[in-house]
Amino acid sequence: MKSPLLTLPGAVAAEAPDEGVAAHYGDLFREQRALADGSGFVDLSHRGVVTVSGDDRLSWLHLLLTQHVSSLEPGHATDALILSANGHIEHAVYLVDDGTTTWLHTEPGKQGDFVAYLESMRFFYRVEVLDRTEEYAVVHLPAGSIAEAPADAVVRETSYGRDLFVPRGSLPAVAEAYGPAVGVLAYEALRVEAHRPRLGLETDHRTIPHEVGWIGSAVHLEKGCYRGQETVARVHNLGKPPRRLVFLHLDGSEVKIPVHGDEVRLAADGPEGRRLGFITTSARHHELGPIALALVKRNLPPDAELIVGEDATAAAQEVVVAP
């Protein structure tokens, strides 16, 4: 859905997977610094919004999600996944319960498939699942923001800020109250800096939670009864994931930065060397310079000197998921 805030001065529309909102409003680094300082807001109104209501909502979601939510307290935010039978990640959702309804947001365009899956598992449970994307939008306030949430907002508070579920029609009022507006490129740069994975960027069709650091934050290891649990338990107790997420410091002398899918190789092997992984998200950071997240083979030494992409951009690793 196209955000009305794309009409704000300086707004430049974002590309996939963030179509519909602004990439930036004319000054990427100023916008990053605003977020880091706890000011401004990010328009995330392109994300899907789903609600689950009914007396059985938490006990039912507990059976489906990787997270322990049966006793989720009102106002307590958490993250969760939906896995395939083989333990591969299919959905990542970000939720909070307000005491009567569980509110979740998903990757843009994923809410339809997510709702369809929930409906297929409803059976006799007293729940109602609704796609509320046309009615509600997500707005992000950074950590440290002293702005008060609107009275009609549902607030999801995390360590890196607050996600507000607000009526879609109130987006212009939100922009006026919480400015300056910050684009998703700045939001993504701080996400990369914080090593937070994102579905569809840090994941592909065969990613399991262990590879990208979602064990603990989105997967509760002391609960069962969800699809894909056997893979989670087996890898955690007996094996090791085949790949691991890493943070990369990129050579800042290059004009271009690598993009999603660019291959990672050993510097010693050169541009024609063996593929050891790929870039998942890259960004230009206001303090760190060019940075990226990448998914690489688990046994790649953490101190290995790497090159990325056709331009053979030099890259140094920081461990996110231990080998």
Side-chain angles (χ1 to χ4, degrees):
M1 299 184 70
K2 188 174 181 180
S3 172
L5 304 190
L6 281 171
T7 61
L8 291 178
V12 175
E15 299 178 351
D18 292 317
E19 301 101 325
V21 296
H24 61 84
Y25 294 89
D27 192 336
L28 175 61
F29 290 157
R30 177 192 60 78
E31 294 168 32
Q32 285 187 32
R33 287 191 290 270
L35 280 190
D37 292 341
S39 61
F41 75 97
V42 186
D43 177 12
L44 298 179
S45 61
H46 61 317
R47 294 188 64 81
V49 176
V50 176
T51 60
V52 182
S53 57
D55 292 343
D56 295 336
R57 67 189 184 284
L58 291 178
S59 59
W60 176 66
L61 286 170
H62 185 78
L63 299 174
L64 305 177
L65 301 177
T66 56
Q67 189 59 271
H68 196 298
V69 297
S70 60
S71 56
L72 188 67
E73 295 291 333
H76 184 81
T78 193
D79 306 343
L81 309 174
I82 294 287
L83 305 181
S84 72
N86 293 322
H88 301 140
I89 301 167
E90 293 187 345
H91 294 282
V93 294
Y94 305 86
L95 63 147
V96 68
D97 193 86
D98 66 7
T100 61
T101 301
T102 303
W103 293 76
L104 311 95
H105 65 82
T106 73
E107 285 297 318
K110 293 292 187 181
Q111 67 273 14
D113 290 341
F114 179 59
V115 167
Y117 172 70
L118 294 183
E119 286 288 356
S120 73
M121 303 299 291
R122 193 153 61 96
F123 305 121
F124 56 84
Y125 289 95
R126 296 171 294 174
V127 295
E128 182 181 24
V129 180
L130 295 173
D131 180 353
R132 308 292 293 276
T133 309
E134 292 189 359
E135 304 167 65
Y136 285 88
V138 179
V139 172
H140 177 77
L141 300 180
S145 171
I146 60 173
E148 293 187 7
D152 57 355
V154 176
V155 180
R156 180 180 179 276
E157 187 158 4
T158 70
S159 60
Y160 53 89
R162 287 176 286 166
D163 295 337
L164 310 182
F165 296 88
V166 299
R168 188 167 288 275
S170 67
L171 279 173
V174 166
E176 186 174 342
Y178 296 119
V182 173
V184 290
L185 286 182
Y187 180 82
E188 285 288 281
L190 269 60
R191 178 184 69 80
V192 172
E193 178 192 16
H195 306 167
R196 297 198 311 273
R198 181 176 175 186
L199 183 77
L201 293 177
E202 278 62 58
T203 69
D204 56 23
H205 67 283
R206 59 191 179 96
T207 305
I208 60 175
H210 315 68
E211 295 179 315
V212 294
W214 259 326
I215 297 297
S217 63
V219 178
H220 197 289
L221 291 173
E222 296 181 8
K223 66 157 295 212
C225 302
Y226 61 88
R227 190 174 66 177
Q229 176 207 357
E230 295 82 2
T231 297
V232 170
R234 183 170 63 251
V235 174
H236 181 71
N237 293 315
L238 300 175
K240 295 177 180 178
R243 302 177 297 180
R244 61 185 180 90
L245 189 68
V246 298
F247 177 83
L248 298 180
H249 291 275
L250 303 173
D251 180 0
S253 65
E254 299 290 343
V255 175
K256 296 190 299 182
I257 61 173
V259 297
H260 177 81
D262 278 356
E263 297 184 344
V264 176
R265 295 179 170 88
L266 285 175
D269 294 342
E272 304 303 319
R274 183 165 57 97
R275 180 183 186 272
L276 299 173
F278 64 95
I279 294 293
T280 59
T281 308
S282 60
R284 294 189 185 275
H285 191 275
H286 69 288
E287 291 182 342
L288 301 177
I291 57 176
L293 294 173
L295 203 57
V296 301
K297 293 181 180 295
R298 177 185 56 81
N299 58 4
L300 177 67
D303 59 352
E305 295 183 4
L306 306 175
I307 55 173
V308 178
E310 294 181 355
D311 295 332
T313 301
Q317 296 179 67
E318 280 186 18
V319 172
V320 176
V321 175

